[in-house]
Amino acid sequence: MSTSGQHQFRYTQTPSKVLHLRNLPWECIEEELVELCKPFGKIVNTRCNVGANHNQAFVEFADLNQAINMATYFASSSEPAQVRGKTVYIQYSNRHEVVNNKGPGDVPGNVLLATIEGVEAGDVSIDVIHLVFSAFGFVHKVATFEKAAGFQALIQFSDVETASAARESLDGRSIPRQSLSPFYLWKYLLPDHVSSCNLRISYSAHRDLSIKFQSHRSRDYTNPYLPVNPSAIEGFVQPAVGPDGKIKEPESNVLLASIENMQYAVTVDVLHTVFSAFGTVQKIAIFEKNGGTQALIQYPDISTAAVAKDAIEGHCIYDGGYCKLHLSYSRHTDLNVKAFSDKSRDYTIPNSTVWQNSQTASMFPGNEFSGGGAGPTWYPNTQAGRPPFVSGPSTFPGQTYSQSSVPAYAAAADFSVMQPGQISGASQPPRQHNMGPGGASHPGQPPYNG
DNA sequence: AGCACA
């Protein structure tokens, strides 16, 4: 019988620690709400730009009395609450908490994360990004990178206010095709083939970016003396031209391996074993790209990488044409990888005993081969401090190994092409190992074809 | 100038 509102005024003033603010300017940002409200108490959450006109907001105080303080203050004040000169009307909200307005990217900070939609990394230069964001204040640092989300940039400002202004102004807008500014050389900011490039801007959790080099991917405008990474300056270094006139890709200490015909899982440990034959492997990362599996393998220097590349290129990890490796030089010079995950390793991290135990446990299940007699001549670069393949809980506890069934790491021992000593015999066809990978890591897989 | 659609 009754309808809502029958027993109460429509807008009762039941106190709530959430205040409802109206008549805000459309562009009102959270900082302005905070400035207005924080004299009265601790703000635990806000929601701004509410409603079709973006002119309402909610502010939640930690304590009810703080909200009452603010509401009663402005109710009796001769000076109304104002934001940008507009009078703001304040009442208690009919709810008692502000619902989740904020994802991780909505927590204001001085560093912005910009996703540039619809472009490839090469389409928008770091100079253009710098130009666009410099309109709001001094840009300290810029770092760009490619992620699954697309081409992204981190832009570091001095303070939250500047970053917020840039975000409010640029989020959802497109980088203009042309710059009308007479002060910059870039007349055209975008290549012709880019039809649109919307900016999606959120806040980064970073406060201070760590820029190691000035390069086409990263800049530190506060430190002009930061070393330039020559291999990373696009266009500065002409690509080397080989004797055949073809452009050679610039060399790098990091190799990019594409794994073809990957019938069997290729783990970080398998790659480490294979690539360690040529020098210390510092880091490994495995990832999927274009439906295939790729890996980055980092050596300390280019020469080691070059030797490994020439020796391994085109060869298979496993007999039968499985897991064929194609190598090129990566553009990376220093990988940023998790120290220990199923897709990456950082072997440079000292005191790595924590993960070494689990590594040996998962990769070298038996201790049959840890004896001195099985000295790993096939493993010429055993790292100092690295324990032998000690016993550990087996991943395959029920499995026993016969003489002919060899753990996976032994495959490399038979992988004669991997021996550095044979690199000079360039014309020698690779003698692949005689074991299928099922022997160790895939008990159900076809047996080796020895 | 009057309550959020995640």
Side-chain angles (χ1 to χ4, degrees):
Chain A
M1 63 168 195
S2 71
T3 58
S4 65
Q6 185 162 346
H7 301 296
Q8 57 180 42
F9 293 119
R10 187 171 168 203
Y11 301 109
T12 54
Q13 293 292 291
T14 308
S16 163
K17 57 183 165 45
V18 179
L19 296 180
H20 177 225
L21 314 191
R22 291 174 280 119
N23 202 38
L24 292 159
W26 192 91
E27 324 81 76
C28 178
I29 59 174
E30 183 187 41
E31 280 61 45
E32 292 169 302
L33 291 180
V34 171
E35 283 305 309
L36 177 68
C37 302
K38 77 179 179 191
F40 300 94
K42 181 175 181 347
I43 297 156
V44 297
N45 208 348
T46 69
R47 184 175 179 115
C48 53
N49 306 118
V50 166
N53 293 327
H54 280 217
N55 59 357
Q56 300 174 43
F58 299 91
V59 174
E60 178 180 343
F61 284 96
D63 188 86
L64 176 63
N65 286 327
Q66 298 167 343
I68 292 173
N69 282 345
M70 179 162 175
T72 54
Y73 174 84
F74 284 113
S76 60
S77 170
S78 56
E79 293 277 309
Q82 288 192 325
V83 170
R84 301 193 193 191
K86 287 189 76 176
T87 295
V88 177
Y89 301 91
I90 301 168
Q91 288 181 288
Y92 299 113
S93 172
N94 53 23
R95 299 192 199 179
H96 288 84
E97 64 179 14
V98 169
V99 298
N100 246 5
N101 180 30
K102 295 192 183 119
D106 295 316
V107 180
N110 64 314
V111 178
L112 297 177
L113 171 64
T115 303
I116 306 170
E117 298 170 338
V119 302
E120 312 246 340
D123 293 336
V124 180
S125 74
I126 202 166
D127 296 310
V128 167
I129 294 168
H130 179 246
L131 167 65
V132 168
F133 284 87
S134 291
F136 303 89
F138 179 65
V139 173
H140 287 231
K141 301 174 183 179
V142 176
T144 66
F145 47 91
E146 280 181 282
K147 278 279 174 66
F151 183 43
Q152 296 188 308
L154 289 163
I155 301 99
Q156 179 175 338
F157 287 102
S158 311
D159 47 61
V160 177
E161 289 70 27
T162 313
S164 296
R167 179 182 133 124
E168 289 302 313
S169 176
L170 293 175
D171 187 25
R173 301 198 35 203
S174 182
I175 293 178
R177 182 162 297 282
Q178 291 178 253
S179 166
L180 299 179
S181 167
F183 301 108
Y184 290 90
L185 291 173
W186 303 284
K187 187 173 180 184
Y188 296 95
L189 301 185
L190 298 174
D192 288 340
H193 70 269
V194 173
S195 53
S196 77
C197 76
N198 278 335
L199 293 168
R200 232 45 285 182
I201 300 178
S202 60
Y203 293 105
S204 164
H206 288 95
R207 310 305 324 240
D208 188 23
L209 304 176
S210 170
I211 307 290
K212 305 245 172 50
F213 297 102
Q214 311 284 16
S215 79
H216 70 291
R217 316 181 154 262
S218 64
R219 295 284 168 81
D220 181 346
Y221 300 96
T222 68
N223 181 6
Y225 302 110
L226 192 69
V228 169
N229 183 357
S231 67
I233 295 277
E234 215 167 41
F236 276 49
V237 177
Q238 289 295 325
V241 177
D244 54 358
K246 286 184 183 166
I247 293 175
K248 290 199 312 189
E249 58 190 339
E251 294 183 323
S252 167
N253 62 311
V254 178
L255 296 177
L256 172 65
S258 302
I259 305 169
E260 185 185 303
N261 194 18
M262 205 176 82
Q263 297 281 323
Y264 303 104
V266 173
T267 63
V268 176
D269 303 282
V270 166
L271 291 173
H272 184 254
T273 302
V274 169
F275 284 84
S276 289
F278 305 92
T280 303
V281 171
Q282 292 182 319
K283 301 175 186 179
I284 292 177
I286 300 177
F287 56 95
E288 302 292 318
K289 185 155 186 182
N290 303 330
T293 298
Q294 301 190 343
L296 290 163
I297 298 95
Q298 178 174 337
Y299 287 107
D301 50 67
I302 290 175
S303 57
T304 308
V307 170
K309 177 174 180 286
D310 290 345
I312 297 175
E313 167 57 33
H315 294 304
C316 303
I317 299 177
Y318 299 117
D319 198 8
Y322 299 131
C323 305
K324 191 172 186 179
L325 293 169
H326 290 288
L327 296 173
S328 61
Y329 292 110
S330 168
R331 295 188 308 261
H332 293 92
T333 56
D334 189 21
L335 304 177
N336 186 9
V337 298
K338 283 188 182 148
F340 182 84
S341 80
D342 61 334
K343 295 293 181 194
S344 69
R345 292 285 194 292
D346 184 344
Y347 302 96
T348 67
I349 302 223
N351 191 14
S352 49
T353 53
V354 172
W355 59 261
Q356 256 178 3
N357 286 339
S358 60
Q359 178 191 39
T360 50
S362 62
M363 195 53 210
F364 310 106
N367 60 2
E368 296 93 331
F369 299 88
S370 62
T377 54
W378 50 271
Y379 195 82
N381 290 282
T382 302
Q383 291 165 12
R386 185 190 171 90
F389 301 126
V390 296
S391 61
S394 170
T395 308
F396 314 106
Q399 189 175 19
T400 56
Y401 296 96
S402 68
Q403 279 298 97
S404 57
S405 181
V406 188
Y409 67 83
D414 237 359
F415 198 173
S416 59
V417 69
M418 294 302 186
Q419 297 300 322
Q422 294 195 5
I423 294 166
S424 55
S427 61
Q428 181 178 353
R431 177 181 146 243
Q432 291 164 350
H433 69 85
N434 61 1
M435 190 202 83
S441 48
H442 296 270
Q445 294 290 343
Y448 65 92
N449 41 14

